[in-house]
Amino acid sequence: MKHSDLLSEAQGAFALACEVEAENRRAAADDIRFARLGEQWSARVMAERQAEGRPCLTINRLPAFIRQVVNDARQNKPAIVCHPVGDWADPKTAELLNGLIRHIEQSSDAEVAYDTALDFAVTGGFGYFRINTRYADDDSFHQDLAIERVADPFSVYGDPFATGADSADWNQAFVVESLTRKAFEARWKGAEVCDWTGGEGSERWGGGVRDGADRVRLAEFWRRETVSRSLLALSDGQVVAQDVYEAQKALFDAAGARVVGRPRPATSHKVTQYILSGAEVLETVDWAGRYIPIVPVYGEAIHVDGARRLRSLVRDAKDPQRMYNYWRTASTELVALAPKTPFIGRRGAFDTDSAKWASANTQSHAFIEYDGPEAPQRQPYAGVPAGAIQEALNASDDMKAIMGMYDASLGARSNETSGKAIMVRQREGDVSTFHYIDNLSRAIRHAGRILIDLIPKVYAAPRMVRILGAGGEANMAAINQPISGSLGVGSLEKIYDLSVGRYDLTVSAGPSFTSRREEAASQMIELIRAYPPAAPLIGDLLAKNLDWPGADEVAKRLATLNPGRQVVEGR
C-alpha cells in the first residue's frame, strides 16, 4: 500500500474512532476533573459568588472512595498462571513460563501499569496499559518483553467496532503522543514537521505548545489483518507454523524431527505498527504477535442504542457531592453572617462607657456602666443552622448509597458493634465495587494471552533467561538450546523449548506473597498454641515464614530437630 493511501486510511479511521469515543472521553474528563482536581462548582456560580464576596467551599469526599477500590486491588494482586494444553505441552515448561512472566512483570514495574490503569477506570471509566519490547542490555541483540503504563488514557483510541471485554478483538488502535520539535528532527532527519490532527480535545490532551516548548503531535497506528500461513506436520507428532520451523530448523533437526506430508493452509493475524505525522508515514514495524499489544481496563460498561458507555465509580455521585458542598457552604455562610451576640437596650443606654460597650464582644472588662433604669440584655447565639447540617448529612449518605460503600468500608466507626458485623459490612462494600477489580483481572488475563503469544517469538534464540518463583526467588534457565550439561551457571537439568506445545492461562487475585507468608506464620502460631505437640513438626516451616534476620538459619537448625524428617532420612 502506498504511504499516501495508508495515511488517508489512518486519518479516516481516526476520525471514526474520535466520533465513537467522544461521549465517553468527555464524560471521563469531567469525572477526573471533578473527583481528582476538585473542580466541583460551575464557573458561572463561582464567579457570581466571588463577585458578591460569598464563599464557595469544596469538601471533596470522592477520593476516599476511589482509593478504597484501587488500594484494595493493590493488596490483592492478580497473578497470571499458565497451564499446559494438548499434546507436547510440558508442565515444567508451563512453570518456566510462569516464572518468566513474573520476571517480566517485576523488571518492568508492571504493578505501576496495572494500578494506573485501574485508577483511571475507577475515576474516569477507562484506563490502559501496553506491552512492548526492549533490548535486554545495551550491548546485546536479545530482546525482553515489558509491561508499560499508559500515563494518559486520553492518548489511546481503541477499535470503534470492538465489543469485547478486552482488546482481543481489536483490529485497529491509535496512540497519540507529542515530541519536542528538536527530538522529532533528531529521530527523523529530513521529515516534514507536521502535526497529526483530529480528535476531540487534541489541544488539551496532546500536541501543540505545552510548557512553553514547541511540540509535534504524532500517532501510532496499529492495524491487524487476517493473513494466511502454512502449518507443518513433523515426524514426532508436532504441528508448527512453517515460519517457526524455518527459524528454528537447527533445533528441530537436533531433536530428529522432520517434516512429513504437505503444508496445511491456515488463517492467522498480522499486526503492523505505523508511526504517522500529519504528512507522512515515519516508521513501519512488523509486530511479532497476533494481538494489538494495548490492553484496556474498563470501568462499568453498558451498551445502549448500539453504543458502549463506559462509566466510572463517581459518575452518579457527583450531584450528591455538589449538594454536600452547597449545604456545607451555606451553613458556613450562615454562621459567618450570624450576629455576634449583640446587646440590646433602650436609646441612650450605652452613652456611658460607649467605648467599652463597642468592644464588649471582643474584650474582657472589669465593669461597664449603663444609662437608664434597666441593664442592656445580651442576645443568645442562634447556633449552627440545623437544617443545613442535616441536608449535608443527607447528601453524604446519598454518596455512600450510590457507590455502595458505607462507613465500615471506609474504616470509620459505624453502628456495628461486633467484629463479625463490621466484616460483613466491609464485605458488602467490596461486593458493590468488585466489578472494577474483576475487570482488571480480565485485562491482566488478556495481557497473559499476549505474553504467551509473544514469548516464543521474542525469546526464540538460544539464551539464558531469568525466572522468578512464587516467593520472588530468582533462578536461571536455558531455553531453545539443543544441548545439555553445564553452561557456566551450574548443572542444567532441562533445556526448555518455548515453541512447542499450547498453553492456556488463568488469572487469580489474592494477597501478595508477603501477606500470605505473614498470614501463614500467624496461623501456625495459633495452631501451636492450640496444639503444642505440633511445634517440633512445623517449627522449621514457621521460621521460614517469619520476617527477621537469621530466619532461614533458624529454620535449618529446627529442621534437624524435626522427628518427621529424621524418619524420612532413616528410610
Side-chain angles (χ1 to χ4, degrees):
M1 180 182 293
K2 295 181 180 179
H3 281 190
S4 59
D5 295 338
L6 177 64
L7 195 62
S8 178
E9 176 190 335
Q11 289 171 341
F14 186 66
L16 178 60
C18 292
E19 179 182 353
V20 171
E21 295 191 9
E23 176 61 26
N24 287 330
R25 297 167 73 86
R26 183 203 59 77
D30 186 68
D31 290 350
I32 293 171
R33 290 186 174 277
F34 187 95
R36 285 302 176 86
L37 302 184
E39 298 178 5
Q40 299 179 356
W41 290 84
S42 70
R44 181 183 59 83
V45 172
M46 180 173 289
E48 292 176 354
R49 296 179 71 91
Q50 289 177 346
E52 297 172 1
R54 303 174 64 187
C56 285
L57 302 183
T58 300
I59 305 173
N60 191 3
R61 305 194 63 185
L62 297 179
F65 294 94
I66 295 171
R67 287 193 296 268
Q68 184 67 28
V69 178
V70 174
N71 291 341
D72 187 25
R74 290 188 177 191
Q75 289 180 325
N76 299 275
K77 291 294 183 186
I80 301 171
V81 181
C82 298
H83 305 283
V85 177
D87 297 336
W88 299 101
D90 181 17
K92 290 188 176 181
T93 302
E95 194 59 39
L96 178 136
L97 287 172
N98 290 329
L100 184 55
I101 290 174
R102 283 191 287 264
H103 166 66
I104 292 170
E105 291 181 318
Q106 188 267 344
S107 62
S108 59
D109 289 331
E111 290 184 355
V112 178
Y114 300 154
D115 295 340
T116 302
L118 179 62
D119 198 315
F120 278 115
V122 174
T123 309
F126 57 87
Y128 301 92
F129 61 89
R130 61 187 299 174
I131 297 171
N132 211 339
T133 58
R134 61 190 182 191
Y135 285 106
D137 301 293
D138 292 339
D139 55 354
S140 171
F141 285 95
H142 289 314
Q143 287 191 322
D144 287 336
L145 292 171
I147 300 172
E148 301 174 345
R149 76 168 185 156
V150 175
D152 180 7
F154 296 94
S155 65
V156 178
Y157 296 77
D159 190 337
F161 300 105
T163 59
D166 49 41
S167 60
D169 60 342
W170 281 14
N171 291 318
Q172 69 175 49
F174 290 87
V175 181
V176 180
E177 62 175 349
S178 62
L179 299 176
T180 63
R181 179 184 291 266
K182 182 178 180 180
F184 176 88
E185 293 175 343
R187 182 173 177 181
W188 295 286
K189 294 180 174 60
E192 180 181 352
V193 178
C194 182
D195 276 345
W196 175 264
T197 57
E200 180 181 5
S202 60
E203 295 80 9
R204 184 168 58 173
W205 299 115
V209 177
R210 182 179 292 180
D211 298 332
D214 189 8
R215 305 183 71 87
V216 182
R217 192 167 185 248
L218 305 176
E220 293 180 43
F221 176 36
W222 291 87
R223 187 173 66 171
R224 187 173 77 154
E225 302 171 285
T226 301
V227 296
S228 298
R229 63 171 183 166
S230 297
L231 297 179
L232 299 177
L234 303 184
S235 57
D236 59 1
Q238 297 185 59
V239 177
V240 298
Q242 185 171 356
D243 55 344
V244 174
Y245 175 80
E246 292 174 352
Q248 302 184 14
K249 188 175 184 303
L251 190 66
F252 290 107
D253 290 344
R258 57 185 179 81
V259 178
V260 294
R262 294 181 178 180
R264 182 181 77 82
T267 58
S268 183
H269 292 93
K270 175 185 178 183
V271 178
T272 309
Q273 177 197 30
Y274 303 96
I275 308 296
L276 309 176
S277 69
E280 59 184 305
V281 179
L282 301 172
E283 286 185 19
T284 300
V285 179
D286 291 328
W287 184 248
R290 57 192 176 99
Y291 299 104
I292 294 177
I294 301 171
V295 183
V297 179
Y298 296 128
E300 186 176 358
I302 303 173
H303 289 263
V304 181
D305 296 331
R308 176 165 55 185
R309 295 289 182 259
L310 302 176
R311 298 173 58 82
S312 68
L313 175 69
V314 302
R315 183 72 51 85
D316 293 327
K318 291 193 290 186
D319 281 343
Q321 175 65 62
R322 291 188 183 100
M323 294 168 56
Y324 187 81
N325 289 339
Y326 174 78
W327 286 113
R328 292 306 300 266
T329 300
S331 62
T332 302
E333 189 175 14
L334 291 173
V335 170
L337 295 177
K340 301 298 188 293
T341 60
F343 289 88
I344 296 179
R346 66 177 179 82
R347 180 179 297 178
F350 303 100
D351 290 345
T352 301
D353 283 347
S354 60
K356 290 183 178 180
W357 282 112
S359 61
N361 286 325
T362 59
Q363 298 181 16
S364 298
H365 303 288
F367 62 90
I368 306 178
E369 296 181 350
Y370 64 93
D371 298 297
E374 70 278 351
Q377 299 295 317
R378 182 188 292 271
Q379 298 302 301
Y381 172 55
V384 178
I389 294 298
Q390 183 60 47
E391 288 298 329
L393 292 176
N394 291 341
S396 176
D397 290 340
D398 288 341
M399 276 189 278
K400 299 172 188 175
I402 287 172
M403 291 182 279
M405 302 172 67
Y406 297 91
D407 293 335
S409 297
L410 299 173
R413 183 182 295 275
S414 185
N415 56 356
E416 295 88 353
T417 56
S418 68
K420 184 176 182 179
I422 293 173
M423 291 182 64
V424 170
R425 179 61 62 86
Q426 290 175 336
R427 189 176 300 114
E428 288 299 321
D430 292 341
V431 170
S432 178
T433 59
F434 181 73
H435 54 292
Y436 292 97
I437 298 177
D438 193 46
N439 286 349
L440 175 63
S441 296
R442 292 176 181 176
I444 294 178
R445 184 187 305 118
H446 181 51
R449 192 180 299 123
I450 295 174
L451 291 174
I452 290 178
D453 177 49
L454 286 172
I455 284 174
K457 302 162 187 174
V458 175
Y459 297 84
R463 58 186 290 194
M464 298 294 298
V465 294
R466 183 171 179 261
I467 59 175
L468 296 181
E473 63 277 6
N475 293 294
M476 301 298 293
I479 60 173
N480 303 325
Q481 301 182 49
I483 57 175
S484 60
S486 176
L487 291 179
V489 291
S491 178
L492 299 176
E493 297 181 356
K494 182 177 178 62
I495 305 298
Y496 297 93
D497 183 1
L498 301 183
S499 64
V500 176
R502 292 189 301 111
Y503 298 89
D504 198 0
L505 56 92
T506 59
V507 174
S508 59
S512 65
F513 177 79
T514 301
S515 299
R516 295 199 305 269
R517 185 180 61 186
E518 293 173 353
E519 181 68 18
S522 176
Q523 295 295 333
M524 288 181 190
I525 292 174
E526 292 300 322
L527 175 62
I528 291 174
R529 287 176 179 173
Y531 184 64
L537 298 174
I538 65 173
D540 56 330
L541 300 178
L542 173 60
K544 284 183 178 180
N545 288 282
L546 295 175
D547 189 14
W548 33 262
D552 291 339
E553 183 62 28
V554 172
K556 292 179 182 179
R557 298 186 182 188
L558 289 174
T560 61
L561 304 177
N562 190 330
R565 177 178 176 179
Q566 292 173 3
V567 170
V568 173
E569 290 179 349
R571 291 180 181 176

